[in-house]
PDB file of all heavy atoms in Angstrom:
ATOM      1  N   ASP A   1       3.964  -3.969  70.331  1.00 97.00           N
ATOM      2  CA  ASP A   1       3.657  -4.136  68.879  1.00 97.00           C
ATOM      3  C   ASP A   1       2.720  -3.005  68.416  1.00 97.00           C
ATOM      4  O   ASP A   1       2.967  -2.386  67.372  1.00 97.00           O
ATOM      5  CB  ASP A   1       2.975  -5.485  68.610  1.00 97.00           C
ATOM      6  CG  ASP A   1       3.940  -6.652  68.700  1.00 97.00           C
ATOM      7  OD1 ASP A   1       5.020  -6.494  69.299  1.00 97.00           O
ATOM      8  OD2 ASP A   1       3.623  -7.732  68.167  1.00 97.00           O
ATOM      9  N   ALA A   2       1.676  -2.774  69.182  1.00 97.00           N
ATOM     10  CA  ALA A   2       0.683  -1.758  68.795  1.00 97.00           C
ATOM     11  C   ALA A   2       1.311  -0.355  68.794  1.00 97.00           C
ATOM     12  O   ALA A   2       1.039   0.446  67.903  1.00 97.00           O
ATOM     13  CB  ALA A   2      -0.497  -1.809  69.743  1.00 97.00           C
ATOM     14  N   SER A   3       2.214  -0.077  69.742  1.00 98.00           N
ATOM     15  CA  SER A   3       2.857   1.235  69.845  1.00 98.00           C
ATOM     16  C   SER A   3       3.771   1.506  68.670  1.00 98.00           C
ATOM     17  O   SER A   3       3.743   2.605  68.086  1.00 98.00           O
ATOM     18  CB  SER A   3       3.631   1.348  71.168  1.00 98.00           C
ATOM     19  OG  SER A   3       2.747   1.287  72.255  1.00 98.00           O
ATOM     20  N   VAL A   4       4.596   0.533  68.300  1.00 97.00           N
ATOM     21  CA  VAL A   4       5.506   0.712  67.179  1.00 97.00           C
ATOM     22  C   VAL A   4       4.720   0.895  65.875  1.00 97.00           C
ATOM     23  O   VAL A   4       5.055   1.736  65.028  1.00 97.00           O
ATOM     24  CB  VAL A   4       6.509  -0.497  67.066  1.00 97.00           C
ATOM     25  CG1 VAL A   4       7.368  -0.387  65.795  1.00 97.00           C
ATOM     26  CG2 VAL A   4       7.410  -0.555  68.268  1.00 97.00           C
ATOM     27  N   PHE A   5       3.676   0.103  65.732  1.00 97.00           N
ATOM     28  CA  PHE A   5       2.805   0.177  64.546  1.00 97.00           C
ATOM     29  C   PHE A   5       2.155   1.563  64.441  1.00 97.00           C
ATOM     30  O   PHE A   5       2.180   2.208  63.394  1.00 97.00           O
ATOM     31  CB  PHE A   5       1.747  -0.921  64.663  1.00 97.00           C
ATOM     32  CG  PHE A   5       0.910  -1.185  63.433  1.00 97.00           C
ATOM     33  CD1 PHE A   5       0.023  -2.236  63.385  1.00 97.00           C
ATOM     34  CD2 PHE A   5       1.013  -0.362  62.299  1.00 97.00           C
ATOM     35  CE1 PHE A   5      -0.732  -2.470  62.251  1.00 97.00           C
ATOM     36  CE2 PHE A   5       0.253  -0.597  61.156  1.00 97.00           C
ATOM     37  CZ  PHE A   5      -0.638  -1.648  61.149  1.00 97.00           C
ATOM     38  N   ALA A   6       1.613   2.055  65.556  1.00 96.00           N
ATOM     39  CA  ALA A   6       0.955   3.366  65.555  1.00 96.00           C
ATOM     40  C   ALA A   6       1.961   4.470  65.299  1.00 96.00           C
ATOM     41  O   ALA A   6       1.675   5.434  64.556  1.00 96.00           O
ATOM     42  CB  ALA A   6       0.238   3.599  66.909  1.00 96.00           C
ATOM     43  N   LEU A   7       3.151   4.373  65.907  1.00 97.00           N
ATOM     44  CA  LEU A   7       4.181   5.393  65.696  1.00 97.00           C
ATOM     45  C   LEU A   7       4.608   5.466  64.219  1.00 97.00           C
ATOM     46  O   LEU A   7       4.617   6.561  63.639  1.00 97.00           O
ATOM     47  CB  LEU A   7       5.421   5.043  66.533  1.00 97.00           C
ATOM     48  CG  LEU A   7       6.653   5.917  66.291  1.00 97.00           C
ATOM     49  CD1 LEU A   7       6.452   7.322  66.833  1.00 97.00           C
ATOM     50  CD2 LEU A   7       7.896   5.292  66.897  1.00 97.00           C
ATOM     51  N   LEU A   8       4.891   4.321  63.608  1.00 96.00           N
ATOM     52  CA  LEU A   8       5.318   4.289  62.229  1.00 96.00           C
ATOM     53  C   LEU A   8       4.257   4.881  61.294  1.00 96.00           C
ATOM     54  O   LEU A   8       4.561   5.720  60.444  1.00 96.00           O
ATOM     55  CB  LEU A   8       5.641   2.855  61.798  1.00 96.00           C
ATOM     56  CG  LEU A   8       5.985   2.615  60.333  1.00 96.00           C
ATOM     57  CD1 LEU A   8       7.176   3.437  59.889  1.00 96.00           C
ATOM     58  CD2 LEU A   8       6.249   1.134  60.055  1.00 96.00           C
ATOM     59  N   THR A   9       2.998   4.497  61.524  1.00 94.00           N
ATOM     60  CA  THR A   9       1.903   4.972  60.650  1.00 94.00           C
ATOM     61  C   THR A   9       1.683   6.470  60.841  1.00 94.00           C
ATOM     62  O   THR A   9       1.464   7.189  59.866  1.00 94.00           O
ATOM     63  CB  THR A   9       0.632   4.219  60.952  1.00 94.00           C
ATOM     64  OG1 THR A   9       0.909   2.809  61.085  1.00 94.00           O
ATOM     65  CG2 THR A   9      -0.364   4.367  59.820  1.00 94.00           C
ATOM     66  N   ALA A  10       1.774   6.951  62.085  1.00 94.00           N
ATOM     67  CA  ALA A  10       1.581   8.381  62.343  1.00 94.00           C
ATOM     68  C   ALA A  10       2.691   9.207  61.683  1.00 94.00           C
ATOM     69  O   ALA A  10       2.447  10.255  61.094  1.00 94.00           O
ATOM     70  CB  ALA A  10       1.547   8.646  63.840  1.00 94.00           C
ATOM     71  N   LEU A  11       3.928   8.698  61.774  1.00 95.00           N
ATOM     72  CA  LEU A  11       5.070   9.416  61.175  1.00 95.00           C
ATOM     73  C   LEU A  11       4.946   9.473  59.654  1.00 95.00           C
ATOM     74  O   LEU A  11       5.283  10.471  59.017  1.00 95.00           O
ATOM     75  CB  LEU A  11       6.407   8.759  61.582  1.00 95.00           C
ATOM     76  CG  LEU A  11       6.832   8.971  63.032  1.00 95.00           C
ATOM     77  CD1 LEU A  11       8.020   8.088  63.328  1.00 95.00           C
ATOM     78  CD2 LEU A  11       7.179  10.427  63.305  1.00 95.00           C
ATOM     79  N   LYS A  12       4.411   8.400  59.076  1.00 92.00           N
ATOM     80  CA  LYS A  12       4.224   8.365  57.599  1.00 92.00           C
ATOM     81  C   LYS A  12       3.137   9.336  57.150  1.00 92.00           C
ATOM     82  O   LYS A  12       3.003   9.675  55.977  1.00 92.00           O
ATOM     83  CB  LYS A  12       3.886   6.957  57.131  1.00 92.00           C
ATOM     84  CG  LYS A  12       5.086   6.005  57.107  1.00 92.00           C
ATOM     85  CD  LYS A  12       4.735   4.643  56.583  1.00 92.00           C
ATOM     86  CE  LYS A  12       4.566   4.638  55.089  1.00 92.00           C
ATOM     87  NZ  LYS A  12       5.792   4.840  54.323  1.00 92.00           N
ATOM     88  N   ASN A  13       2.384   9.799  58.112  1.00 89.00           N
ATOM     89  CA  ASN A  13       1.238  10.691  57.862  1.00 89.00           C
ATOM     90  C   ASN A  13       1.594  12.170  58.057  1.00 89.00           C
ATOM     91  O   ASN A  13       0.843  13.055  57.790  1.00 89.00           O
ATOM     92  CB  ASN A  13       0.102  10.246  58.837  1.00 89.00           C
ATOM     93  CG  ASN A  13      -1.175  10.989  58.629  1.00 89.00           C
ATOM     94  OD1 ASN A  13      -1.729  11.486  59.589  1.00 89.00           O
ATOM     95  ND2 ASN A  13      -1.654  11.091  57.418  1.00 89.00           N
ATOM     96  N   VAL A  14       2.833  12.420  58.568  1.00 92.00           N
ATOM     97  CA  VAL A  14       3.258  13.793  58.902  1.00 92.00           C
ATOM     98  C   VAL A  14       3.638  14.563  57.630  1.00 92.00           C
ATOM     99  O   VAL A  14       4.354  14.073  56.769  1.00 92.00           O
ATOM    100  CB  VAL A  14       4.473  13.784  59.879  1.00 92.00           C
ATOM    101  CG1 VAL A  14       5.043  15.155  60.051  1.00 92.00           C
ATOM    102  CG2 VAL A  14       4.043  13.205  61.228  1.00 92.00           C
ATOM    103  N   GLN A  15       3.155  15.794  57.554  1.00 89.00           N
ATOM    104  CA  GLN A  15       3.529  16.722  56.496  1.00 89.00           C
ATOM    105  C   GLN A  15       4.119  17.989  57.159  1.00 89.00           C
ATOM    106  O   GLN A  15       3.433  18.625  57.956  1.00 89.00           O
ATOM    107  CB  GLN A  15       2.303  17.110  55.648  1.00 89.00           C
ATOM    108  CG  GLN A  15       1.648  15.958  54.913  1.00 89.00           C
ATOM    109  CD  GLN A  15       2.274  15.716  53.548  1.00 89.00           C
ATOM    110  OE1 GLN A  15       2.860  16.601  52.953  1.00 89.00           O
ATOM    111  NE2 GLN A  15       2.150  14.502  53.055  1.00 89.00           N
ATOM    112  N   LEU A  16       5.381  18.288  56.856  1.00 91.00           N
ATOM    113  CA  LEU A  16       6.021  19.427  57.472  1.00 91.00           C
ATOM    114  C   LEU A  16       6.066  20.613  56.506  1.00 91.00           C
ATOM    115  O   LEU A  16       6.415  20.438  55.338  1.00 91.00           O
ATOM    116  CB  LEU A  16       7.470  19.095  57.902  1.00 91.00           C
ATOM    117  CG  LEU A  16       7.629  18.064  59.012  1.00 91.00           C
ATOM    118  CD1 LEU A  16       9.111  17.794  59.252  1.00 91.00           C
ATOM    119  CD2 LEU A  16       6.923  18.492  60.275  1.00 91.00           C
ATOM    120  N   PRO A  17       5.730  21.832  56.993  1.00 88.00           N
ATOM    121  CA  PRO A  17       5.783  22.992  56.103  1.00 88.00           C
ATOM    122  C   PRO A  17       7.233  23.377  55.753  1.00 88.00           C
ATOM    123  O   PRO A  17       8.157  23.013  56.502  1.00 88.00           O
ATOM    124  CB  PRO A  17       5.125  24.101  56.948  1.00 88.00           C
ATOM    125  CG  PRO A  17       5.333  23.661  58.339  1.00 88.00           C
ATOM    126  CD  PRO A  17       5.285  22.162  58.346  1.00 88.00           C
ATOM    127  N   LEU A  18       7.405  24.026  54.652  1.00 88.00           N
ATOM    128  CA  LEU A  18       8.741  24.476  54.257  1.00 88.00           C
ATOM    129  C   LEU A  18       9.135  25.637  55.176  1.00 88.00           C
ATOM    130  O   LEU A  18       8.400  26.575  55.397  1.00 88.00           O
ATOM    131  CB  LEU A  18       8.708  24.969  52.792  1.00 88.00           C
ATOM    132  CG  LEU A  18      10.042  25.474  52.246  1.00 88.00           C
ATOM    133  CD1 LEU A  18      11.035  24.344  52.108  1.00 88.00           C
ATOM    134  CD2 LEU A  18       9.844  26.168  50.894  1.00 88.00           C
ATOM    135  N   VAL A  19      10.348  25.524  55.732  1.00 86.00           N
ATOM    136  CA  VAL A  19      10.858  26.549  56.664  1.00 86.00           C
ATOM    137  C   VAL A  19      12.200  27.070  56.127  1.00 86.00           C
ATOM    138  O   VAL A  19      13.098  26.262  55.832  1.00 86.00           O
ATOM    139  CB  VAL A  19      11.034  26.014  58.100  1.00 86.00           C
ATOM    140  CG1 VAL A  19      11.564  27.120  59.005  1.00 86.00           C
ATOM    141  CG2 VAL A  19       9.707  25.502  58.635  1.00 86.00           C
ATOM    142  N   THR A  20      12.330  28.356  56.025  1.00 82.00           N
ATOM    143  CA  THR A  20      13.590  28.954  55.593  1.00 82.00           C
ATOM    144  C   THR A  20      13.994  30.043  56.601  1.00 82.00           C
ATOM    145  O   THR A  20      13.135  30.528  57.347  1.00 82.00           O
ATOM    146  CB  THR A  20      13.483  29.609  54.191  1.00 82.00           C
ATOM    147  OG1 THR A  20      12.351  30.490  54.187  1.00 82.00           O
ATOM    148  CG2 THR A  20      13.304  28.541  53.119  1.00 82.00           C
ATOM    149  N   ILE A  21      15.244  30.405  56.603  1.00 82.00           N
ATOM    150  CA  ILE A  21      15.709  31.499  57.477  1.00 82.00           C
ATOM    151  C   ILE A  21      16.033  32.691  56.611  1.00 82.00           C
ATOM    152  O   ILE A  21      16.835  32.601  55.656  1.00 82.00           O
ATOM    153  CB  ILE A  21      16.939  31.043  58.298  1.00 82.00           C
ATOM    154  CG1 ILE A  21      16.502  29.979  59.319  1.00 82.00           C
ATOM    155  CG2 ILE A  21      17.555  32.266  59.027  1.00 82.00           C
ATOM    156  CD1 ILE A  21      17.566  29.539  60.297  1.00 82.00           C
ATOM    157  N   ASN A  22      15.408  33.798  56.905  1.00 79.00           N
ATOM    158  CA  ASN A  22      15.631  35.036  56.182  1.00 79.00           C
ATOM    159  C   ASN A  22      17.018  35.560  56.544  1.00 79.00           C
ATOM    160  O   ASN A  22      17.328  35.816  57.696  1.00 79.00           O
ATOM    161  CB  ASN A  22      14.557  36.074  56.603  1.00 79.00           C
ATOM    162  CG  ASN A  22      14.660  37.331  55.776  1.00 79.00           C
ATOM    163  OD1 ASN A  22      15.716  37.963  55.675  1.00 79.00           O
ATOM    164  ND2 ASN A  22      13.497  37.738  55.188  1.00 79.00           N
ATOM    165  N   GLU A  23      17.877  35.656  55.531  1.00 76.00           N
ATOM    166  CA  GLU A  23      19.271  36.050  55.758  1.00 76.00           C
ATOM    167  C   GLU A  23      19.393  37.487  56.305  1.00 76.00           C
ATOM    168  O   GLU A  23      20.333  37.783  57.056  1.00 76.00           O
ATOM    169  CB  GLU A  23      20.077  35.914  54.465  1.00 76.00           C
ATOM    170  CG  GLU A  23      20.277  34.437  54.074  1.00 76.00           C
ATOM    171  CD  GLU A  23      21.123  34.293  52.819  1.00 76.00           C
ATOM    172  OE1 GLU A  23      21.680  35.295  52.354  1.00 76.00           O
ATOM    173  OE2 GLU A  23      21.201  33.158  52.321  1.00 76.00           O
ATOM    174  N   GLU A  24      18.471  38.321  55.911  1.00 75.00           N
ATOM    175  CA  GLU A  24      18.566  39.724  56.397  1.00 75.00           C
ATOM    176  C   GLU A  24      18.159  39.888  57.863  1.00 75.00           C
ATOM    177  O   GLU A  24      18.820  40.588  58.621  1.00 75.00           O
ATOM    178  CB  GLU A  24      17.689  40.624  55.497  1.00 75.00           C
ATOM    179  CG  GLU A  24      18.190  40.765  54.086  1.00 75.00           C
ATOM    180  CD  GLU A  24      17.292  41.652  53.214  1.00 75.00           C
ATOM    181  OE1 GLU A  24      16.373  42.314  53.807  1.00 75.00           O
ATOM    182  OE2 GLU A  24      17.472  41.636  52.016  1.00 75.00           O
ATOM    183  N   THR A  25      17.054  39.235  58.216  1.00 79.00           N
ATOM    184  CA  THR A  25      16.541  39.395  59.581  1.00 79.00           C
ATOM    185  C   THR A  25      17.022  38.280  60.531  1.00 79.00           C
ATOM    186  O   THR A  25      17.030  38.451  61.752  1.00 79.00           O
ATOM    187  CB  THR A  25      14.996  39.395  59.596  1.00 79.00           C
ATOM    188  OG1 THR A  25      14.540  38.108  59.122  1.00 79.00           O
ATOM    189  CG2 THR A  25      14.457  40.473  58.714  1.00 79.00           C
ATOM    190  N   GLY A  26      17.406  37.148  59.951  1.00 75.00           N
ATOM    191  CA  GLY A  26      17.817  35.978  60.760  1.00 75.00           C
ATOM    192  C   GLY A  26      16.654  35.249  61.364  1.00 75.00           C
ATOM    193  O   GLY A  26      16.816  34.326  62.158  1.00 75.00           O
ATOM    194  N   LEU A  27      15.427  35.644  60.973  1.00 80.00           N
ATOM    195  CA  LEU A  27      14.210  34.990  61.525  1.00 80.00           C
ATOM    196  C   LEU A  27      13.753  33.891  60.600  1.00 80.00           C
ATOM    197  O   LEU A  27      14.001  33.895  59.387  1.00 80.00           O
ATOM    198  CB  LEU A  27      13.095  36.038  61.680  1.00 80.00           C
ATOM    199  CG  LEU A  27      13.389  37.205  62.651  1.00 80.00           C
ATOM    200  CD1 LEU A  27      12.269  38.243  62.567  1.00 80.00           C
ATOM    201  CD2 LEU A  27      13.588  36.693  64.062  1.00 80.00           C
ATOM    202  N   SER A  28      13.071  32.920  61.179  1.00 81.00           N
ATOM    203  CA  SER A  28      12.560  31.800  60.388  1.00 81.00           C
ATOM    204  C   SER A  28      11.222  32.181  59.717  1.00 81.00           C
ATOM    205  O   SER A  28      10.441  32.920  60.311  1.00 81.00           O
ATOM    206  CB  SER A  28      12.337  30.573  61.245  1.00 81.00           C
ATOM    207  OG  SER A  28      11.464  30.823  62.309  1.00 81.00           O
ATOM    208  N   GLU A  29      11.045  31.688  58.504  1.00 81.00           N
ATOM    209  CA  GLU A  29       9.787  31.973  57.766  1.00 81.00           C
ATOM    210  C   GLU A  29       9.149  30.604  57.424  1.00 81.00           C
ATOM    211  O   GLU A  29       9.798  29.744  56.818  1.00 81.00           O
ATOM    212  CB  GLU A  29      10.076  32.776  56.526  1.00 81.00           C
ATOM    213  CG  GLU A  29      10.634  34.176  56.826  1.00 81.00           C
ATOM    214  CD  GLU A  29      11.014  34.975  55.588  1.00 81.00           C
ATOM    215  OE1 GLU A  29      10.973  34.410  54.480  1.00 81.00           O
ATOM    216  OE2 GLU A  29      11.331  36.175  55.726  1.00 81.00           O
ATOM    217  N   VAL A  30       7.880  30.455  57.797  1.00 82.00           N
ATOM    218  CA  VAL A  30       7.172  29.188  57.567  1.00 82.00           C
ATOM    219  C   VAL A  30       6.180  29.331  56.440  1.00 82.00           C
ATOM    220  O   VAL A  30       5.324  30.217  56.469  1.00 82.00           O
ATOM    221  CB  VAL A  30       6.433  28.742  58.868  1.00 82.00           C
ATOM    222  CG1 VAL A  30       5.724  27.416  58.641  1.00 82.00           C
ATOM    223  CG2 VAL A  30       7.433  28.629  60.058  1.00 82.00           C
ATOM    224  N   ASN A  31       6.303  28.432  55.452  1.00 83.00           N
ATOM    225  CA  ASN A  31       5.379  28.440  54.325  1.00 83.00           C
ATOM    226  C   ASN A  31       4.391  27.272  54.471  1.00 83.00           C
ATOM    227  O   ASN A  31       4.716  26.141  54.147  1.00 83.00           O
ATOM    228  CB  ASN A  31       6.159  28.298  52.999  1.00 83.00           C
ATOM    229  CG  ASN A  31       5.275  28.383  51.780  1.00 83.00           C
ATOM    230  OD1 ASN A  31       4.036  28.347  51.893  1.00 83.00           O
ATOM    231  ND2 ASN A  31       5.874  28.436  50.600  1.00 83.00           N
ATOM    232  N   LEU A  32       3.212  27.567  55.011  1.00 81.00           N
ATOM    233  CA  LEU A  32       2.235  26.512  55.288  1.00 81.00           C
ATOM    234  C   LEU A  32       1.624  25.963  54.001  1.00 81.00           C
ATOM    235  O   LEU A  32       0.981  24.895  54.034  1.00 81.00           O
ATOM    236  CB  LEU A  32       1.119  27.049  56.209  1.00 81.00           C
ATOM    237  CG  LEU A  32       1.594  27.413  57.622  1.00 81.00           C
ATOM    238  CD1 LEU A  32       0.458  28.130  58.368  1.00 81.00           C
ATOM    239  CD2 LEU A  32       2.038  26.177  58.361  1.00 81.00           C
ATOM    240  N   LYS A  33       1.743  26.661  52.898  1.00 85.00           N
ATOM    241  CA  LYS A  33       1.178  26.196  51.640  1.00 85.00           C
ATOM    242  C   LYS A  33       2.048  25.108  50.983  1.00 85.00           C
ATOM    243  O   LYS A  33       1.589  24.386  50.109  1.00 85.00           O
ATOM    244  CB  LYS A  33       0.973  27.365  50.675  1.00 85.00           C
ATOM    245  CG  LYS A  33      -0.122  28.324  51.106  1.00 85.00           C
ATOM    246  CD  LYS A  33      -0.311  29.474  50.124  1.00 85.00           C
ATOM    247  CE  LYS A  33      -1.421  30.418  50.620  1.00 85.00           C
ATOM    248  NZ  LYS A  33      -1.546  31.568  49.690  1.00 85.00           N
ATOM    249  N   GLN A  34       3.298  25.061  51.373  1.00 87.00           N
ATOM    250  CA  GLN A  34       4.199  24.089  50.773  1.00 87.00           C
ATOM    251  C   GLN A  34       4.653  23.121  51.853  1.00 87.00           C
ATOM    252  O   GLN A  34       5.456  23.439  52.717  1.00 87.00           O
ATOM    253  CB  GLN A  34       5.436  24.798  50.156  1.00 87.00           C
ATOM    254  CG  GLN A  34       6.265  23.834  49.285  1.00 87.00           C
ATOM    255  CD  GLN A  34       7.370  24.587  48.557  1.00 87.00           C
ATOM    256  OE1 GLN A  34       7.322  25.818  48.408  1.00 87.00           O
ATOM    257  NE2 GLN A  34       8.371  23.861  48.065  1.00 87.00           N
ATOM    258  N   LYS A  35       4.109  21.916  51.815  1.00 88.00           N
ATOM    259  CA  LYS A  35       4.416  20.905  52.830  1.00 88.00           C
ATOM    260  C   LYS A  35       5.051  19.667  52.180  1.00 88.00           C
ATOM    261  O   LYS A  35       4.686  19.303  51.043  1.00 88.00           O
ATOM    262  CB  LYS A  35       3.157  20.512  53.608  1.00 88.00           C
ATOM    263  CG  LYS A  35       2.619  21.641  54.478  1.00 88.00           C
ATOM    264  CD  LYS A  35       1.529  21.135  55.414  1.00 88.00           C
ATOM    265  CE  LYS A  35       1.081  22.209  56.369  1.00 88.00           C
ATOM    266  NZ  LYS A  35       0.105  21.713  57.362  1.00 88.00           N
ATOM    267  N   ASN A  36       5.912  19.032  52.926  1.00 89.00           N
ATOM    268  CA  ASN A  36       6.572  17.818  52.447  1.00 89.00           C
ATOM    269  C   ASN A  36       6.457  16.706  53.502  1.00 89.00           C
ATOM    270  O   ASN A  36       6.509  17.005  54.694  1.00 89.00           O
ATOM    271  CB  ASN A  36       8.045  18.075  52.147  1.00 89.00           C
ATOM    272  CG  ASN A  36       8.239  19.042  50.993  1.00 89.00           C
ATOM    273  OD1 ASN A  36       7.740  18.811  49.911  1.00 89.00           O
ATOM    274  ND2 ASN A  36       8.947  20.131  51.255  1.00 89.00           N
ATOM    275  N   PRO A  37       6.321  15.469  53.047  1.00 90.00           N
ATOM    276  CA  PRO A  37       6.274  14.385  54.010  1.00 90.00           C
ATOM    277  C   PRO A  37       7.627  14.157  54.670  1.00 90.00           C
ATOM    278  O   PRO A  37       8.658  14.548  54.134  1.00 90.00           O
ATOM    279  CB  PRO A  37       5.877  13.143  53.155  1.00 90.00           C
ATOM    280  CG  PRO A  37       6.293  13.514  51.767  1.00 90.00           C
ATOM    281  CD  PRO A  37       6.162  14.997  51.662  1.00 90.00           C
ATOM    282  N   LEU A  38       7.584  13.578  55.881  1.00 94.00           N
ATOM    283  CA  LEU A  38       8.817  13.224  56.558  1.00 94.00           C
ATOM    284  C   LEU A  38       9.580  12.172  55.751  1.00 94.00           C
ATOM    285  O   LEU A  38       8.967  11.354  55.027  1.00 94.00           O
ATOM    286  CB  LEU A  38       8.468  12.585  57.910  1.00 94.00           C
ATOM    287  CG  LEU A  38       8.400  13.439  59.172  1.00 94.00           C
ATOM    288  CD1 LEU A  38       8.052  12.528  60.322  1.00 94.00           C
ATOM    289  CD2 LEU A  38       9.704  14.125  59.420  1.00 94.00           C
ATOM    290  N   ILE A  39      10.884  12.174  55.847  1.00 93.00           N
ATOM    291  CA  ILE A  39      11.690  11.142  55.188  1.00 93.00           C
ATOM    292  C   ILE A  39      11.776   9.963  56.163  1.00 93.00           C
ATOM    293  O   ILE A  39      12.430  10.056  57.201  1.00 93.00           O
ATOM    294  CB  ILE A  39      13.079  11.668  54.830  1.00 93.00           C
ATOM    295  CG1 ILE A  39      12.997  12.897  53.906  1.00 93.00           C
ATOM    296  CG2 ILE A  39      13.904  10.533  54.161  1.00 93.00           C
ATOM    297  CD1 ILE A  39      14.298  13.589  53.665  1.00 93.00           C
TER     298      ILE A  39
END
């Protein structure tokens, strides 16, 4: 019970930065200023 509760609450607390792939270089670019919560 405690583990499921902690997992759910921690996941609701996650903010992921915006990540895009540069079409020219093929490398990933991380924007730490723009974060979105997990769905």
Side-chain angles (χ1 to χ4, degrees):
D1 286 20
S3 296
V4 173
F5 191 174
L7 172 72
L8 174 58
T9 317
L11 288 171
K12 284 183 74 70
N13 184 230
V14 171
Q15 297 272 336
L16 294 178
L18 180 68
V19 180
T20 53
I21 292 185
N22 186 307
E23 290 183 9
E24 292 179 11
T25 63
L27 299 173
S28 58
E29 296 177 353
V30 181
N31 183 351
L32 294 171
K33 290 180 180 177
Q34 192 174 341
K35 292 189 174 185
N36 294 304
L38 266 180
I39 301 170

